[in-house]
Structure formats: C-alpha cells, structure tokens
C-alpha cells in the first residue's frame, strides 16, 4: 500500500474539489489526503506522506512532516512556495505542461498583435468618436523582446516569429532556442531594451528579477515602447510604470499580473487610459492535462523509488 499523498492548497473549496477529482481520476491507486483551511493536515496518516501536491499552500502547511520526500506544484510559477521559509528542504517539482506553454504563446501573440495594430489607440479614438487612420508597419519592423526564454518564452518566441515579428530573447544563460537570438545577463540588459518596441515579461519572480521593470529600465526603451507583463506583478515597480505611461515614455501596458490579486477596487491602474487589465488569465492551468502530468511523475517515483528532479531552490526557479 503506497503512502498517502497530501493535497494542500489555499484554493476556494470548489476549486480544490475539482483538482482533487482530476487527481483521483488520474491516479486511481493513490490515497489523496486533504488539509483544513488553516493548512493543518486533517488525517492522522499524514506523517507517513512522502509526496505533497500543492497550489499556494498556506505558509507552514508542509512543516514538520517527517516522511516528506518531494513536493509537486500545480502551478508553473513557484515563487510563493520557495519564499516560504518553513518549507522542508526537499525537491520542489513545478508544473511543466506543453498545454500551458501553448496557451501562453497564444496570449503573447494576442497582446503583441493588439499593440502592433494600434488597437489601444483606436479604442481611445472610438471613445472620442474620431475617424483617423494611422500607418501600418509590417510585423518584421516591430522588434519584440521576451524577458525569459524558458518554457513560456520559447513557445511565445516561436509563434511571434511565425507571424513575422523580429524577436529576441533575454535570459540568464543566453541559450538560443529555435533560432531566436538570446541575450544574457545584466551586461546586455541595456542593449536588449534599446532596440525593443514591445517588451514581454515572462520571467519567474526571484530575488534577482523582483522590481527589474523600473524607471531606469523604461528609460532605456525607445520612447513610446509598450509593455506586456505576464510574469508576476512584483517584477514591475507600479509607481514607475504609471509615471512612464503618464510621461509618454511607454505608450501602453497590458498587465495580467499584479502585486495584489485581485487588483483592489479603486486602484489607479483600473482607470488608467494607457493600461489594459487582465485578471491573471494569460495561461491558466488546465485541470486534466496538469493532473496527468503530476500522475506520471508520481507513477515514475512509485516504480523507481527515485525522487524527481526539482527546481533550483537557491536560484528561485
Ligand atoms: P522557466 O522555464 O523556468 O523559464 C524561466 C526563464 O527566465 C529562463 O529562460 C531563465 O533563464 C530566465 N531567467 C530566470 N532568472 C533570470 C534572471 N535573473 N535574468 C535573466 N533571465 C532569467 O519558466 P516558465 O515556465 O517559462 O515560466 C516563467 C514564468 O511565467 C513563471 O515563473 C510564472 O511567473 C509566469 N507564468 C505566468 C502565467 C500567467 O497566467 N500569467 C502562467 C504561467 C506562468 P535560463 O534559460 O538561463 O535559465
């Protein structure tokens, strides 16, 4: 009889129940234990659990589990998880799902095309009842920079290239993927920004990337460049963003992620004319495909006894 698996989340009960059902269906031989709202495991069998499946677990929820060997996140981004100092020093596996990368590529293409074809400007003209045409630039003359060339960034780069945009990436290592040039590290930061019309953020949130998109970064972009933030809200210094939009340094920002989510009522970003707000929908996790991926990892562990490789917790992603 395999040891039970813990499912620990801070999701609404209905959402957690849907995850539980999808996971039970994908792993029929496994016992899945839940946790109470306070994050304390509700069953006496929990001390023998070797695996925890988590989605934003409440801080401390995984502390003091003597048999825990590894943790699987149901999300691709694990920033909140790795910041929890009570998390035991076990491997953390994040969700890597081609369906998620495909959805993100779609969302990036939608945003870039929206900006490329001046749709925010035409929306404003419509509000004013103004019939005015603006020149259309060919996609190849539009330079798009993707910050982060991992699962999300490389899928997005491929699609943007297929549409015809001139694409470059920026990452820690500078590893080129699918023929997309990739700059790397702080030394090429200014160079990457200087030739960017549309900047798309797909970085993980780490100590190094928090607050990266600030006044100084915006000033390095050509005047009137646009920003798409699909990474995390804390990558952007909100006050600096608003200042850059007000001053025309940036022409528009499409924002899907925020420091506080949901974005509070009355927050000034809601009504800023230079901002498009999305409620964290760029690439939602798909229940069935994510559950199948988690189940395959669990199955491999049960068959081999080998703990799967996790993220680099010191690096933060
Ligand atoms: P990933 O595969 O781990 O890729 C991360 C990329 O960022 C890599 O290219 C990495 O460089 C680069 N990077 C990390 N730290 C860096 C630094 N300090 N300087 C420069 N580059 C750095 O992650 P992913 O699966 O693509 O996901 C990225 C993020 O997208 C997630 O962490 C999450 O925050 C966000 N996300 C958002 C949504 C949404 O709906 N809005 C959905 C899913 C994910 P190397 O290639 O050199 O390692």
């Amino acid at each position: 009889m395999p040891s039970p698996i813990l499912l620990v989340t801070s999701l609404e009960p209905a959402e957690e129940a849907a995850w539980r059902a999808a996971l039970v269906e994908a792993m029929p031989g496994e016992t899945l234990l839940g946790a109470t709202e306070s994050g304390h495991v509700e069953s006496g069998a929990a001390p023998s659990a070797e695996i925890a499946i988590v989605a934003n677990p409440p801080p401390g929820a995984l502390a003091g589990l003597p048999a825990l060997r590894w943790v699987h996140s149901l999300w691709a981004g694990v920033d909140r998880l790795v910041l929890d100092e009570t998390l035991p020093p076990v491997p953390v596996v994040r969700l890597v799902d081609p369906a998620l990368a495909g959805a993100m590529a779609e969302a990036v293409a939608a945003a870039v095309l929206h900006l490329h074809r001046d749709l925010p400007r035409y929306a404003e003209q419509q509000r004013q009842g103004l019939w005015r045409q603006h020149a259309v630039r060919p996609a190849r003359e539009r330079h798009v920079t993707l910050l982060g060339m991992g699962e999300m960034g490389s899928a997005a780069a491929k699609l943007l290239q297929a549409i015809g945009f001139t694409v470059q990436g920026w990452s820690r290592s500078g590893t080129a993927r699918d023929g997309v040039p990739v700059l790397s590290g702080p030394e090429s930061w200014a160079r990457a920004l200087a030739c960017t019309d549309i900047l798309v953020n797909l970085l993980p949130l780490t100590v190094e990337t928090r607050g990266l998109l600030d006044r100084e970064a915006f000033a390095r972009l050509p005047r009137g460049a646009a920003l798409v933030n699909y990474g995390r809200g804390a990558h952007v210094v909100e006050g600096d963003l608003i200042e850059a939009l007000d001053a025309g340094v940036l022409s528009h920002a499409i924002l899907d992620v925020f420091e506080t989510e949901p974005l509070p009522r009355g927050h000034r970003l809601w009504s800023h004319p230079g901002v498009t707000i999305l409620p964290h929908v760029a690439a939602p996790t798909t229940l069935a495909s994510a559950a199948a991926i988690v189940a395959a990892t669990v199955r491999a562990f049960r068959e081999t006894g080998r703990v799967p490789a996790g993220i680099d917790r010191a690096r933060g992603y």
Side-chain angles (χ1 to χ4, degrees), residues 18-265:
W19 272 108
R20 174 184 288 277
L23 289 163
V24 166
E25 194 182 338
M27 304 186 290
E30 299 287 347
T31 308
L32 212 56
L33 297 179
T36 63
E37 258 176 45
S38 65
H40 293 110
V41 176
E42 71 196 5
S43 160
S48 64
E50 292 176 292
I51 307 168
I53 299 173
V54 303
N56 296 343
L62 299 179
L65 293 166
L68 190 68
R69 294 185 67 194
W70 58 281
V71 174
H72 203 314
S73 167
L74 292 173
W75 301 161
V78 288
D79 40 286
R80 280 215 244 169
L81 193 56
V82 297
L83 277 178
D84 178 359
E85 284 172 3
T86 66
L87 187 68
V90 296
V92 171
V93 179
R94 71 185 189 102
L95 184 70
V96 176
D97 182 351
L100 200 65
M104 181 59 90
E106 234 177 67
V108 170
V112 168
L113 283 166
H114 188 81
L115 295 164
H116 167 61
R117 295 305 302 258
D118 264 342
L119 298 193
R121 176 142 58 153
Y122 288 117
E124 181 50 37
Q125 286 188 192
Q126 182 180 348
R127 275 191 287 276
Q128 297 171 18
L130 196 63
W131 183 277
R132 184 179 294 157
Q133 296 167 339
H134 303 281
V136 174
R137 270 163 77 175
R140 69 174 179 284
E141 288 179 15
R142 195 74 73 178
H143 293 252
V144 183
T145 298
L146 293 155
L147 302 179
M149 281 295 285
E151 300 300 322
M152 306 292 149
S154 54
K158 218 166 154 177
L159 185 53
L160 291 176
Q161 263 195 337
I163 297 170
F165 291 105
T166 298
V167 184
Q168 68 173 358
W170 184 78
S171 75
R172 219 168 51 86
S173 61
T175 310
R177 294 177 75 156
D178 296 314
V180 177
V182 182
L183 298 173
S184 79
E187 54 291 349
S188 60
W189 177 238
R191 196 148 48 91
L193 296 182
C195 61
T196 298
D197 297 312
I198 301 173
L199 185 65
V200 181
N201 178 39
L202 290 171
L203 287 167
L205 183 63
T206 67
V207 173
E208 284 179 14
T209 63
R210 182 177 289 272
L212 191 67
L213 299 172
D214 61 1
R215 180 183 297 129
E216 204 186 317
F218 300 140
R220 291 187 186 281
L221 292 162
R223 192 175 172 78
L227 171 71
V228 179
N229 188 17
Y230 285 166
R232 286 288 182 261
H235 284 127
V236 174
V237 178
E238 235 166 55
D240 291 1
L241 171 67
I242 292 172
E243 193 183 286
L245 287 162
D246 289 344
V249 171
L250 289 176
S251 56
H252 199 84
I254 296 180
L255 308 174
D256 184 55
V257 284
F258 304 89
E259 282 243 39
T260 306
E261 295 182 10
L263 186 64
R265 280 170 82 89

